[in-house]
Amino acid sequence: MERQDQYKKNRRRAMLQLLLLVGIIVIINVLLSSFFFRVDLTEEKRFSISEPTKTLLKEQEDILFIRVYLAGDLTPNLKRLQQATTEMLDQFKNYAGDNVQYDIFDPFSIPNEENQAEFIKQLEEKGILSVQFMESATDEASIKYIFPFISINYKDSEIAFPMIDRGTMPLPLNPDSDPSVSISLLEYNFTKAIRQITDADKPYVAFIAGHGELNRFELNDIAGSLNELYNVTQIDLEDDSTYEIPKEIKTIIVAKPLSEFSMEGKFIIDQYIMQGGNVLWLVDPVIADFDSLYSGKGQFMAIDRELNIMDMLLQYGARINTNIIQDKQCTHINVPVANGENFIMRPWPFNPILNNFNGDHPISKNVDAIEGKFVSTVDTIAVPGITKTILLTTSGLSRYLVAPARVNFNVVDTKFAPTDEQYNKPNQPVAVLLEGQFPSAFKSLKPTANRLHQMGFAYQDGKVIEKGTGSKQIMIGDGDLIKNFVDENGKPDMLGINYIERYIYGNKDFAMNCIEYLCDQNGLIATRAKEVKLRPLDEQKVGENRIQWQLVNMIAPLLVLYLFSGIYFFVRNRKYAA
């Protein structure tokens, strides 16, 4: 009888302890439900968003409605991309609250075919296009269509962007299409779109004019993309009415000048930099043009182009050299054969394919290859307080010709093309980032600087500045990098497109990244450097130890179960033995 009473008492005590434990867990969950806390143990912080993104989300004043169109019966890799997107949007909601709402919608789920067709037509008008994907990498009959796009609605505005990175996920998609880079770029693409649709005060950027720079038709594509994020204007430094660059302009772009800069124009740029202004230099220091081959009967002499700015660039920490790169990794040109009736493709080493990027910097990370045209190397010079970062170099099989140099069409012939041994200048820098407090290029020209300042040039609210407050410059030895083709009727084409190669190179993405980095004040572009690493199993070790690990996976759980069961019964028997 006494034993039964003791048993009932212990049972009641155990029930009370269980109820108390459950109650404590419930209370803790209720209390913590209003707080968001997450520990990301991955090396690359895969499941974390950056501080600038958190700030951007917390500052939202109205609802951002986000619709993900990647839906339906997806392959495992596409499901991984969809899942990564929804996980990121769930994180967004934790910081933006109800101001971020989203859903996943499959346009092909609309039952009525007429309504479905009309809806898809509306999507296409917004730039949301269907793409092919194959459920099987070998069976062409398995081709289906999906919409790998995201749209964001904010107040009365809407913006859409693709989810896939075309460089690493070429069309048509298949089960082997790797979404890792696309996942890495998700946060950057989201923040860029959110900033674009919500930012009422766009930063200003300006193209410099007055020295034969690229015209508005040749800059049509890049200028159109810039207009989505910035207020774009033009400043003619050689105009008699130009005395300064307005301070509200975040970045100026010097795009392939052809003639000399005046001392006044140089002084205006210099003092703009001293005030914290940023510059993107795209310079061809050598006169070399493919069309000269026709007028020169298959050859021409490439000579120095006198621009009167190299002394400035040296003072800031870099030099764009008067040479021309030849690279074995290059694009092709059409060469006539059989009396000009037919053409064959031949490599043209003066048009290098540049894909040797700095993979650790947000400007150059996850960018597709760039097509260069008569590119020059860029050297760095030691300047105290200036940080230099090489963004892009040539391939391991490259060299350069120092101007004056003969450019001959016969290099398309294998008999006259450079050999691998002659490509003896590998990995030459062609794009360099400089950051810091730049010294004035007029520091050693004080009388000239004071005279120009007294004439009204540069800012009149103080003295001539000899050391900058801190800014950024990017120097690229290719003025054509942002030039789109213009046909004989004056119609601009897409930047980076090469019809011979049938490929769209990453010129625009790289140029946009450069400008965004120069204008970026809150660090949002740093999200481009995010990386999602795959850690596949070692197939050789898996094969060698397959049986061993199968046994471990089968026996280990049973051993653990028996161990804990034995401990439980031992404690129970000892407790109730009396």
Side-chain angles (χ1 to χ4, degrees):
M1 187 70 179
E2 185 177 339
R3 178 177 291 187
Q4 288 183 348
D5 291 341
Q6 183 66 32
Y7 173 77
K8 290 180 180 179
K9 186 184 294 185
N10 290 337
R11 186 177 180 184
R12 284 196 298 270
R13 185 185 300 127
M15 290 296 294
L16 288 173
Q17 289 176 345
L18 178 61
L19 291 173
L20 180 61
L21 179 62
V22 171
I24 291 173
I25 293 174
V26 170
I27 292 171
I28 291 174
N29 275 297
V30 171
L31 292 175
L32 294 181
S33 62
S34 57
F35 299 97
F36 174 68
F37 180 73
R38 187 176 201 167
V39 178
D40 188 349
L41 299 178
T42 59
E43 178 186 353
E44 67 273 20
K45 300 301 178 185
R46 181 187 306 184
F47 304 108
S48 301
I49 58 176
S50 66
E51 290 301 323
T53 300
K54 295 175 186 177
T55 302
L56 177 68
L57 294 169
K58 290 174 182 177
E59 291 175 349
Q60 295 310 308
E61 299 176 352
D62 209 334
I63 294 175
L64 289 160
F65 180 74
I66 300 168
R67 171 159 283 180
V68 181
Y69 290 100
L70 182 62
D73 187 15
L74 305 175
T75 59
N77 275 340
L78 291 175
K79 286 180 180 177
R80 186 157 69 92
L81 176 58
Q82 183 196 61
Q83 182 180 353
T85 304
T86 57
E87 287 176 353
M88 180 161 291
L89 289 173
D90 287 335
Q91 288 192 70
F92 284 8
K93 288 175 66 67
N94 288 316
Y95 295 101
D98 293 336
N99 282 337
V100 167
Q101 300 177 12
Y102 76 92
D103 71 0
I104 300 173
F105 183 74
D106 181 8
F108 295 113
S109 66
I110 300 175
N112 184 286
E113 291 187 4
E114 185 175 336
N115 293 341
Q116 182 185 113
E118 179 62 27
F119 184 78
I120 291 175
K121 182 180 178 181
Q122 294 173 6
L123 291 181
E124 291 173 348
E125 291 172 354
K126 299 174 184 177
I128 301 174
L129 307 175
S130 62
V131 302
Q132 290 182 339
F133 88 102
M134 296 186 294
E135 293 180 310
S136 169
T138 56
D139 184 8
E140 295 185 1
S142 65
I143 291 180
K144 292 186 178 180
Y145 291 87
I146 55 172
F147 288 83
F149 279 82
I150 291 172
S151 68
I152 302 178
N153 288 81
Y154 181 77
K155 296 182 179 179
D156 296 327
S157 301
E158 183 177 6
I159 189 172
F161 62 89
M163 299 173 65
I164 60 174
D165 175 67
R166 293 286 294 273
T168 56
M169 298 183 71
L171 301 180
L173 301 175
N174 61 62
D176 297 326
S177 298
D178 184 7
S180 297
V181 173
S182 300
I183 293 172
S184 300
L185 291 172
L186 272 176
E187 182 180 349
Y188 169 73
N189 288 331
F190 267 120
T191 54
K192 182 179 177 181
I194 292 172
R195 189 186 65 183
Q196 181 178 339
I197 200 171
T198 61
D199 195 353
D201 300 319
K202 295 180 180 180
Y204 280 84
V205 298
F207 285 95
I208 296 301
H211 319 92
E213 286 87 352
L214 299 177
N215 60 45
R216 64 186 182 91
F217 297 104
E218 296 166 326
L219 294 169
N220 180 76
D221 196 0
I222 188 71
S225 296
L226 287 173
N227 269 311
E228 297 176 356
L229 293 168
Y230 309 97
N231 291 306
V232 182
T233 185
Q234 186 182 70
I235 298 175
D236 187 341
L237 291 183
E238 305 306 324
D239 190 284
D240 292 339
S241 62
T242 302
Y243 287 88
E244 65 181 39
I245 296 172
K247 293 181 181 179
E248 62 266 21
I249 293 178
K250 295 290 185 183
T251 298
I252 60 172
I253 305 166
V254 182
K256 196 180 180 179
L258 303 180
S259 61
E260 290 189 28
F261 281 65
S262 66
M263 193 62 73
E264 292 82 359
K266 292 168 62 176
F267 182 64
I268 291 171
I269 291 179
D270 179 78
Q271 291 301 291
Y272 166 75
I273 294 170
M274 296 304 103
Q275 292 275 3
N278 308 299
V279 188
L280 174 60
W281 301 90
L282 300 117
V283 178
D284 280 346
V286 176
I287 300 174
D289 195 334
F290 187 80
D291 291 340
S292 300
L293 290 170
Y294 298 107
S295 58
K297 297 181 180 180
Q299 64 178 353
F300 67 87
M301 288 297 295
I303 59 175
D304 295 4
R305 173 176 278 126
E306 185 52 56
L307 297 173
N308 194 29
I309 57 173
M310 295 308 170
D311 57 333
M312 287 181 65
L313 305 189
L314 278 170
Q315 295 291 325
Y316 299 144
R319 173 179 56 219
I320 303 178
N321 298 302
T322 52
N323 57 31
I324 304 175
I325 286 171
Q326 287 185 317
D327 199 317
K328 188 173 183 179
Q329 181 177 277
C330 59
T331 58
H332 294 74
I333 59 173
N334 283 329
V335 178
V337 293
N339 298 323
E341 295 180 1
N342 298 301
F343 293 87
I344 58 173
M345 290 174 57
R346 291 293 189 197
W348 181 242
F350 293 103
N351 284 11
I353 297 175
L354 303 167
N355 62 357
N356 200 3
F357 294 104
N358 181 339
D360 297 324
H361 200 279
I363 291 177
S364 46
K365 189 177 180 65
N366 296 328
V367 176
D368 204 356
I370 293 170
E371 180 184 18
K373 294 178 181 177
F374 293 106
V375 183
S376 298
T377 63
V378 182
D379 289 340
T380 59
I381 294 97
V383 175
I386 302 301
T387 302
K388 305 172 185 69
T389 305
I390 295 174
L391 300 174
L392 180 62
T393 66
T394 60
S395 76
L397 289 172
S398 62
R399 69 174 186 173
Y400 54 79
L401 308 179
V402 179
R406 188 180 303 277
V407 177
N408 201 309
F409 194 73
N410 65 9
V411 294
V412 300
D413 192 328
T414 54
K415 293 185 295 183
F416 301 102
T419 63
D420 287 359
E421 290 74 20
Q422 290 175 316
Y423 284 121
N424 55 4
K425 302 289 184 182
N427 307 318
Q428 293 294 309
V430 296
V432 175
L433 166 67
L434 308 175
E435 300 175 275
Q437 295 178 303
F438 293 97
S440 171
F442 285 78
K443 188 175 182 179
S444 59
L445 301 171
K446 290 183 180 180
T448 302
N450 290 330
R451 177 177 59 83
L452 292 172
H453 193 255
Q454 290 170 4
M455 292 171 61
F457 289 99
Y459 310 103
Q460 299 296 304
D461 55 356
K463 297 180 180 180
V464 175
I465 303 174
E466 295 185 358
K467 187 172 184 180
T469 59
S471 58
K472 296 170 279 191
Q473 300 186 58
I474 297 174
M475 300 185 186
I476 301 175
D478 185 8
D480 292 310
L481 188 140
I482 62 171
K483 176 185 176 182
N484 57 252
F485 176 72
V486 181
D487 68 17
E488 58 186 11
N489 297 318
K491 182 180 179 181
D493 210 333
M494 183 186 302
L495 175 58
I497 192 167
N498 186 315
Y499 289 105
I500 296 175
E501 304 283 349
R502 297 183 179 181
Y503 195 79
I504 301 174
Y505 288 94
N507 294 44
K508 182 161 72 171
D509 287 340
F510 182 72
M512 290 293 294
N513 291 346
C514 288
I515 297 166
E516 187 165 359
Y517 185 83
L518 294 173
C519 292
D520 189 26
Q521 301 297 318
N522 47 28
L524 285 173
I525 194 175
T527 58
R528 289 198 83 260
K530 200 169 191 176
E531 184 176 9
V532 175
K533 295 181 181 178
L534 291 179
R535 296 174 173 85
L537 297 174
D538 189 318
E539 293 185 5
Q540 181 178 351
K541 289 185 178 180
V542 168
E544 293 173 353
N545 304 312
R546 185 181 186 87
I547 303 298
Q548 174 187 334
W549 287 111
Q550 285 179 336
L551 291 173
V552 168
N553 287 331
M554 292 173 58
I555 296 173
L558 295 175
L559 291 176
V560 172
L561 180 62
Y562 284 130
L563 176 63
F564 279 97
S565 298
I567 293 173
Y568 171 77
F569 282 111
F570 174 77
V571 172
R572 186 176 183 278
N573 290 336
R574 188 172 181 179
K575 184 174 182 180
Y576 299 112

